[in-house]
Amino acid sequence: MDKDVNEKLNLLAKLQDIDCEMDAIERLKGELPEELEDLQDRLIGYNTRIERIDEDIKEIKNEISTYKVIIDEAKELTKKYTDQRKGIRNNREFDALTKEIDLQDIEIKLSEKKIKENKNLIKEKEAAIKETNTLIKNQKADIDLKKKELNEIIKENEKQEKKYTDSREKIAKKLDKQLFESYTNLRNNLRNKLAVIVVHREACGGCFNLVTPQRQVDIRARNKIMVCEHCGRIIAGIDEPEIEVKTTK
Ligand SMILES: [Zn+2]
């Protein structure tokens, strides 16, 4: 047995074990982080919607003010023409002034109609704001709930996670850089994230292909780091309970 190889294999097995535990914690968090992000994005969307509606309302209010000015002017003109008409004996001039007064009356009625329409529009917009605010309120409650859930999971596992991270760093330092990188690359490319396995019932614990008796002898000997010839996983040993490698899928 090569002492150096033996040490490396033990470290790799330990590393895999820690990573399995950390993966399990991540699975507990599940979809919560993504869901939270999604909810927060939607919240931003709702707030933007409200800002836009507020802008619309401001514009509509400006329009209403313009119509009010038009009405005031028309009323003044009506008063002026009515006064002028009092002193008129001439039919033609009298009719001309009456026509002007009628025109101002139409202008006033039209503006009043527009104001009424715009006021209804504001009511609609305000209802939309109210509706969106309800959505925001519900969304915020949902976010709070999910945050609480996630924080609980984080808090529950904080110490453990810290312990794992520390151990992981220590192992990474002890392993040579190249080996650590191969492990990481291998792990990242595997669906079940098991880069280090043991041989179980003559088969690779990762891909379940048979390991030849000669290779089993080499694995047992621990003179060099053996990898599965089918899947490339690092073989830490042969079904030996003292090697803590998780082979569950
Ligand atoms: Zn394999």
Side-chain angles (χ1 to χ4, degrees), residues 3-201:
K3 260 180 88 182
D4 191 40
V5 170
N6 187 50
E7 160 92 351
K8 278 178 184 166
L9 285 172
N10 285 340
L11 287 172
L12 283 167
K14 224 184 250 175
L15 188 61
Q16 177 66 76
D17 202 24
I18 289 170
D19 282 340
C20 282
E21 297 291 344
M22 288 178 92
D23 286 348
I25 295 174
E26 282 312 305
R27 274 198 297 278
L28 276 179
K29 292 176 191 167
E31 307 278 298
L32 281 172
E34 284 95 347
E35 277 171 18
L36 265 172
E37 217 172 290
D38 192 44
L39 286 174
Q40 255 141 356
D41 281 349
R42 254 193 273 170
L43 199 62
I44 294 170
Y46 290 145
N47 282 321
T48 315
R49 188 190 293 176
I50 287 185
E51 274 169 32
R52 257 188 234 139
I53 299 174
D54 272 336
E55 284 298 313
D56 285 351
I57 290 177
K58 238 184 245 171
E59 259 176 52
I60 298 167
K61 281 184 176 168
N62 280 341
E63 240 175 82
I64 290 177
S65 303
T66 311
Y67 284 122
K68 279 183 178 164
V69 171
I70 292 172
I71 290 173
D72 285 346
E73 281 171 358
K75 278 182 178 166
E76 252 175 63
L77 283 174
T78 305
K79 193 177 171 292
K80 195 179 117 191
Y81 296 142
T82 311
D83 287 347
Q84 274 180 12
R85 205 170 53 172
K86 277 177 193 158
I88 300 289
R89 301 264 177 254
N90 179 319
N91 267 349
R92 203 172 49 83
E93 270 182 57
F94 188 92
D95 287 347
L97 282 169
T98 305
K99 209 176 167 186
E100 278 301 326
I101 291 164
D102 288 347
L103 276 178
Q104 295 311 315
D105 192 45
I106 290 169
E107 187 82 45
I108 289 167
K109 282 197 175 117
L110 204 68
S111 296
E112 277 170 351
K113 191 172 163 246
K114 287 281 179 193
I115 288 174
K116 205 179 157 196
E117 279 171 9
N118 276 330
K119 278 186 177 167
N120 283 335
L121 204 55
I122 288 177
K123 266 185 207 157
E124 273 172 33
K125 300 261 175 198
E126 279 169 348
I129 287 181
K130 208 177 156 195
E131 205 180 297
T132 311
N133 273 327
T134 309
L135 285 176
I136 288 175
K137 204 178 141 200
N138 293 339
Q139 192 95 336
K140 274 186 179 163
D142 209 10
I143 286 175
D144 286 347
L145 202 74
K146 287 208 157 67
K147 253 190 200 162
K148 210 179 142 205
E149 223 177 296
L150 185 60
N151 282 338
E152 263 166 31
I153 296 172
I154 290 172
K155 218 178 143 194
E156 265 171 38
N157 295 287
E158 216 170 26
K159 272 190 197 152
Q160 205 57 36
E161 258 184 305
K162 171 93 174 69
K163 220 177 95 190
Y164 289 144
T165 313
D166 291 349
S167 315
R168 208 178 181 280
E169 267 172 33
K170 271 182 209 153
I171 292 172
K173 260 181 216 160
K174 280 188 204 161
L175 276 177
D176 60 84
K177 207 181 157 210
Q178 208 191 340
L179 198 53
F180 182 71
E181 271 172 16
S182 329
Y183 165 83
T184 309
N185 289 337
L186 194 56
R187 192 175 126 79
N188 288 342
N189 288 323
L190 290 166
R191 205 178 48 82
N192 68 2
K193 303 283 175 207
L194 289 175
V196 182
I197 48 88
V198 292
V199 172
H200 182 69
R201 288 184 185 164

Side-chain angles (χ1 to χ4, degrees), residues 197 203-209 211 227-233 235:
I197 48 88
C204 162
C207 68
F208 307 108
N209 277 298
V211 179
V227 298
C228 170
E229 55 186 334
H230 303 284
C231 66
R233 285 179 170 92
I235 303 175

